[in-house]
Amino acid sequence: MSIDVLLSGFEPFAGAATNESWEAVRRAAPQLESRGVSVATARLPVVFSRGADLLLEQIEARSPHLVIATGLAAGRRAITPERVAINVQDARIADNDGRSPIDVPCLAGGPVGYFSTLPIKAMVEAARVLDVPAAVSQAAGTYVCNDVFYRLCHALRADASAGSRGGVAVRGGFVHVPSADVVGADDAARALVAMVEAALRSDQDVRITGGVES
């Protein structure tokens, strides 16, 4: 049986007690269920390759129509749907297994990058309506978040090419949340609910600017 949406967040890392992405996901899920949206959640390890493996296992088990992975971007000032995943692992700090890959591909032989298939600008607008700061991000970094994002996009592209999942094109992408002192957990959850609903109802993204100057 398929579900509407699979949401993922991450376990704590780098000595933190919590991870804001998981706090947003676990608060957002019951709110979505109360609105009639069927939801499953996954708490991913902050470990290169293994985090992505677990998310893909959950996709296989749950058959969602929509997949939104989330992660923490502590230095940002807004909730940021990501535009592009790139095929590189380049760790500034070790992951939770102590691994620090440098200039390693997420997937050997894979394309340089993938675009999100989420309506990222419509999602930004949905969060802003709630007065939660949100913006399009042009890059997801090179840590475990990007690794999960890239592997997710690759898997969904392969599924679409194979015509799997009952002929339904599964859409997916990644959203970064800032630290709790910028956007509190309850506001992050409210914004995530609005973003999920925007993604579920939007086949086409809105044509508004989301670009930045270099």
Side-chain angles (χ1 to χ4, degrees):
M1 181 177 178
S2 64
I3 61 171
D4 292 320
V5 60
L6 171 63
L7 295 175
S8 73
F10 282 104
E11 67 185 3
F13 69 107
T18 59
N19 187 308
E20 282 87 339
S21 66
W22 178 245
E23 293 305 308
V25 164
R26 73 180 187 88
R27 286 170 169 80
Q31 295 179 43
L32 285 164
E33 291 279 7
S34 72
R35 295 168 182 246
V37 178
S38 55
V39 183
T41 64
R43 185 173 183 258
L44 306 182
V46 182
V47 177
F48 283 100
S49 299
R50 191 153 63 85
D53 288 344
L54 178 57
L55 180 62
L56 299 187
E57 289 170 8
Q58 288 297 306
I59 294 170
E60 187 65 31
R62 303 288 190 170
S63 297
H65 296 298
L66 187 74
V67 183
I68 300 181
T70 72
L72 170 65
R76 296 190 183 176
R77 307 302 298 175
I79 295 177
T80 49
E82 298 293 343
R83 191 190 294 265
V84 180
I86 61 173
N87 191 13
V88 65
Q89 302 174 352
D90 194 358
R92 180 179 59 83
I93 60 174
D95 69 13
N96 280 358
D97 273 0
R99 299 170 55 212
S100 300
I102 297 175
D103 298 337
V104 174
C106 302
L107 188 65
V112 170
Y114 286 109
F115 285 108
S116 173
T117 54
L118 299 176
I120 55 175
K121 294 179 179 180
M123 293 165 65
V124 165
E125 288 299 290
R128 287 176 174 172
V129 165
L130 302 177
D131 292 325
V132 178
V136 172
S137 169
Q138 313 302 330
T142 57
Y143 196 52
V144 179
C145 290
N146 175 76
D147 187 55
V148 165
F149 183 19
Y150 183 90
R151 291 273 309 283
L152 167 62
C153 291
H154 183 82
L156 296 186
R157 177 68 62 86
D159 275 355
S161 298
S164 61
R165 309 207 185 274
V168 176
V170 181
R171 294 181 297 154
F174 200 95
V175 175
H176 268 118
V177 300
S179 59
D181 61 331
V182 175
V183 176
D186 289 339
D187 282 343
R190 288 194 306 120
L192 187 56
V193 168
M195 287 181 168
V196 169
E197 292 181 328
L200 286 171
R201 67 174 175 260
S202 303
D203 292 328
Q204 300 290 328
D205 208 353
V206 296
R207 287 185 59 81
I208 58 173
T209 185
V212 294
E213 292 74 30
S214 59

